[in-house]
Amino acid sequence: MENMENVHVLDHPLLQHKLCILRDEKTGVKDFREVVSEIATLMCYEATRDLPLENVTIKTPVATGTFKALTGKKLAIVPVLRAGLGMVDGILTLIPSAKVGHIGLYRDPETHEPVEYYCKMPADIAERDVIILDPMLATGGSATAAIELLKKKYGVKHIKLMNIIAAPEGIQRVHGDHPDVEIYVAAVDEKLNENAYIVPGLGDAGDRIFGTK
Ligand code: PRP
Ligand code: URA
């Protein structure tokens, strides 16, 4: 995959190691869930690297100085149900005051097209910078639907997309349709199979987080 502006592949050794745990078919629900959350925290650290800072004056026990602190820019995270829910706590560990919206989408098993079944956003979502959370970016249909909903229906202007594993097809689709959206992934895998699952991937993220298979 060629280098694309706004696509960030976060290949920190801790992320690569934790991804091996997720990929392993022997990893059970408890560990899978914990590691998804840990990965979300590590990815959040990188995805918030550009948060704006302002000067603040602080009196330490020794002297008064001018330092940098967050401006308090308004953020929201939006997990795509179900699997995105597994990333929420890991993000809130670092940004505890972020508001949380929810988008329910599932892929039609035949067409692989996303079907929306639920949506609830914070009232002031249009004024917030949004990070969409979903462990898997496969065809890109779900991510594109989530982005379009946030832009068109809710007027959100600044969107980041955070996925743990992506297929090249999904990145191309989202980047092609929405080049303004910054995409953060921990791995770009080889391809999609005939069922639009990521190869080698980790299987069905929702089923592995919630133990539904
Ligand atoms: C998975 C995943 C993404 C979507 C990715 O959800 O969590 O939302 O598939 O595929 P795409 O890029 O081809 O759209 P799924 O539809 O299996 O729903 P679930 O989380 O409820 O299991
Ligand atoms: N959704 C998943 O959970 N896994 C995939 O590989 C593709 C879509």
Side-chain angles (χ1 to χ4, degrees):
M1 210 187 65
E2 89 242 40
N3 258 349
M4 282 192 258
E5 208 190 334
N6 281 354
V7 178
H8 309 269
V9 182
L10 310 176
D11 58 357
H12 190 287
L14 287 173
L15 283 170
Q16 294 194 51
H17 180 81
K18 288 177 191 295
L19 252 172
C20 290
I21 300 170
L22 294 189
R23 291 185 189 280
D24 191 334
E25 64 176 6
K26 294 197 291 300
T27 300
V29 175
K30 174 179 176 291
D31 289 339
F32 193 90
R33 214 179 267 154
E34 282 174 9
V35 173
V36 165
S37 189
E38 286 172 6
I39 287 178
T41 304
L42 293 170
M43 293 185 75
C44 180
Y45 184 78
E46 284 298 330
T48 52
R49 192 171 269 288
D50 60 352
L51 282 182
L53 298 168
E54 63 186 356
N55 286 335
V56 293
T57 303
I58 293 175
K59 189 172 178 303
T60 78
V62 179
T64 298
T66 303
F67 306 97
K68 301 280 182 197
L70 292 172
T71 58
K73 195 172 179 60
K74 289 178 161 190
L75 293 175
I77 55 175
V78 176
V80 176
L81 309 185
R82 293 175 298 167
L85 288 174
M87 299 171 76
V88 170
D89 284 352
I91 304 288
L92 293 180
T93 300
L94 294 187
I95 319 175
S97 58
K99 293 210 175 163
V100 184
H102 295 85
I103 298 180
L105 295 171
Y106 71 86
R107 292 199 314 180
D108 181 282
E110 302 296 323
T111 64
H112 308 136
E113 286 298 315
V115 181
E116 186 191 326
Y117 61 89
Y118 184 77
C119 188
K120 182 80 181 169
M121 292 296 146
D124 59 354
I125 190 79
E127 294 148 39
R128 293 179 177 266
D129 286 1
V130 170
I131 308 176
I132 298 174
L133 309 175
D134 194 331
M136 310 305 276
L137 178 62
T139 64
S142 304
T144 303
I147 292 165
E148 278 170 8
L149 186 81
L150 287 169
K151 282 185 175 175
K152 289 188 185 146
K153 183 166 175 197
Y154 292 95
V156 177
K157 286 176 197 65
H158 298 114
I159 299 175
K160 291 179 177 175
L161 173 67
M162 187 187 291
N163 306 109
I164 297 179
I165 301 182
E169 294 90 332
I171 293 184
Q172 303 278 5
R173 164 97 191 261
V174 175
H175 185 69
D177 290 358
H178 299 281
D180 57 300
V181 171
E182 295 207 51
I183 305 173
Y184 295 84
V185 299
V188 182
D189 278 10
E190 200 185 318
K191 60 177 184 184
L192 296 175
N193 69 13
E194 60 284 3
N195 297 317
Y197 271 76
I198 299 174
V199 181
L202 51 71
D204 187 302
D207 282 342
R208 295 197 66 187
I209 290 170
F210 296 107
T212 41
K213 218 167 224 168

